[in-house]
Amino acid sequence: MSSTLMRSSALRSALRASAPKASTRAGLAGTSFVRGKATLPDLPYDYGALEPSISGKIMELHHDKHHQTYVTSLNNFSEQIAEAKAKEDIQAQIALQPLINFHGGGHINHTLFWENLAPKNQGGGEPPSGKLSQAINDGYGSLEGFQEKFNVALAGIQGSGWAWLVQDTQTGNIQIKTYANQDPVVGQFRPILGIDAWEHAYYLQYQNRKAEYFKAIWDVVNWKAAEKRLK
């Protein structure tokens, strides 16, 4: 990892370590808040730790810029909708809801995405085990068969979106589903593993060769995190 990226990660860690004790943070497992506000979660690895699958520069921009924008916007629009509710301004509340859904979904999806990934020396790419491995084998024949179908789903996304391995909360079965833009996995389905298909997740490194990104990212997928989400 370059010295610039190391300094960037070190600076971020130092700033957060010096934050007031009252500003407690939730872990990566869910949306994090400080006094009711969403906050950008720290990564459990350096920006360059996922190379060569994902470059350090992409990780820095993706986390520190794109995800931070979702967090900032979510907080801003949440304040605006709270004011609209206080004024009983229903029209303003309706107008703001899509913006909260978009930026809130961006925050939730990316928070899960960072947890979906791990450097190889921390278990990234190691195949799933236990119930999740059995469920994948039962549904797709093998891990390789699952990855092939998942990558087909990713390639089929028109524009921006995500592909997710989800669990049906009613039946317990797993399946692959795609979601447009920043729509989060909610309601009947539980997110198990998600891959970001937005251009900002790969273009700086892979340019128009997004199929290479979809293939390479499996080398740093954190299946242990996915296993913990399966109920």
Side-chain angles (χ1 to χ4, degrees), residues 202-221:
Y202 66 85
Y203 198 83
L204 186 64
Q205 180 177 0
Y206 292 95
Q207 299 179 359
N208 64 323
R209 305 183 311 277
K210 63 181 180 180
E212 293 182 21
Y213 159 68
F214 298 151
K215 182 179 179 180
I217 199 169
W218 294 109
D219 289 338
V220 289
V221 162

Side-chain angles (χ1 to χ4, degrees), residues 2-23:
S2 70
S3 58
T4 300
L5 292 176
M6 290 181 67
R7 287 196 297 272
S8 177
S9 289
L11 179 58
R12 176 177 292 280
S13 298
L15 289 173
R16 293 186 175 184
S18 63
K21 294 293 184 179
S23 299

Side-chain angles (χ1 to χ4, degrees), residues 139-155:
Y140 299 95
S142 65
L143 178 60
E144 292 75 17
F146 163 77
Q147 290 171 332
E148 181 178 348
K149 290 185 180 299
F150 199 101
N151 285 356
V152 168
L154 281 166

Side-chain angles (χ1 to χ4, degrees), residues 149-179:
K149 290 185 180 299
F150 199 101
N151 285 356
V152 168
L154 281 166
I157 294 173
Q158 299 297 313
S160 301
W162 295 70
W164 289 90
L165 172 64
V166 303
Q167 183 179 29
D168 190 317
T169 59
Q170 297 179 7
T171 67
N173 295 330
I174 62 169
Q175 60 181 284
I176 298 168
K177 291 179 66 67
T178 58
Y179 290 76

Side-chain angles (χ1 to χ4, degrees), residues 70 102 105-106 109 157-162 179-184 196 198:
Y70 294 125
F102 178 81
N109 289 342
I157 294 173
Q158 299 297 313
S160 301
W162 295 70
Y179 290 76
N181 301 315
Q182 292 296 351
D183 291 351
D196 190 348
W198 281 63

Side-chain angles (χ1 to χ4, degrees), residues 3 31 42 46 48-49 68 72 85 111 123 129 186 193 197 203 217:
S3 58
T31 306
D42 290 314
D46 291 331
Q68 180 64 69
T72 301
K85 288 180 178 179
T111 297
S129 60
V186 295
L193 174 74
Y203 198 83
I217 199 169

